[in-house]
Amino acid sequence: MSVLRIYGIARTRAFRALWIAEELGLDYEHLPVEIGDAGARSPQFLAINPNGRLPFIDDDGFVLYESLAITLYLAKKHSVGKLYPGALEAEAKAWQWSFWAIAEVDRGVNIWSLHAVRLPPAERDAAKRDEAFKVVAAPFRVLDAAVGKQRYLLGDDFTVADLNVAAVISRAIDMDLGAVPNLRAWLTRCLDRPAARKALALKSAADAATPAKVTRRIAKLNRL
Ligand SMILES: N[C@@H](CCC(=O)N[C@@H](CS)C(=O)NCC(=O)O)C(=O)O
């Protein structure tokens, strides 16, 4: 019987938790809770995550929110020395890249994707899209240089550092990445992994099933 529950529809940051669970080969239950009053902000789920946001997990009674805390926790629990670095410095680098992704590029990629791809064309704001593209340009050059020197962020092997950054910027795969070819090659490599493909399939299905009015609500709720 599955003891890990992952809450959150796959088009949300729950994608990150689904990807790590697939990488680790975990037996898990996915509860595709919707954002807002119909889901995460209902009393039932607020009792588990008082932030009213997605994702959150319940791992045999242990509740955790914040998508990248979830990926780091699961990787450390199940894969020290492989997906999760065993050495202190490499672990710190995984944290560095994870915090970097949240602080530097998470919001920009989200805004770009809403106004370039996800909102109905007539409702996209070109100024917001272009501004978001500019905001991520400098951090993207930093990432491009890092993965130009080596195959993955911490060396030769894919780790949770790559998963976290690639998951945060996964929607940037639809951007013009011509200025950052190393980033584009690395992101493609990460998203081509069988586990990523499984999680992406869930995300694409959720995207495709999302009516425009929900996408509008997402943009409003998240002030994007
Ligand atoms: N920093 C949080 C952000 C969580 C977040 O903003 N989730 C979005 C969905 S991707 C959400 O639930 N938004 C709806 C709301 O805020 O009501 C994380 O990484 O888990």
Side-chain angles (χ1 to χ4, degrees), residues 11-14 16 35-36 40-41 51-55 65-68 102 106 110 221-222:
R11 86 169 106 71
T12 67
R13 289 166 173 85
R16 303 167 187 179
I35 67 160
R41 289 182 187 271
N51 296 291
R53 291 182 184 252
L54 299 165
Y65 50 76
E66 281 303 321
S67 54
L68 299 195
I102 293 287
D106 196 0
N110 221 343
L221 261 175
N222 292 296

Side-chain angles (χ1 to χ4, degrees), residues 12-73:
T12 67
R13 289 166 173 85
F15 163 69
R16 303 167 187 179
L18 293 166
W19 184 359
I20 194 79
E22 290 293 340
E23 287 285 351
L24 294 165
L26 300 180
D27 184 17
Y28 67 91
E29 188 182 347
H30 178 213
L31 295 96
V33 174
E34 202 25 289
I35 67 160
D37 294 340
R41 289 182 187 271
S42 69
Q44 179 195 355
F45 295 120
L46 280 172
I48 310 176
N49 178 10
N51 296 291
R53 291 182 184 252
L54 299 165
F56 51 92
I57 62 166
D58 181 327
D59 186 24
D60 202 15
F62 173 65
V63 171
L64 194 64
Y65 50 76
E66 281 303 321
S67 54
L68 299 195
I70 292 169
T71 56
L72 290 166
Y73 159 76

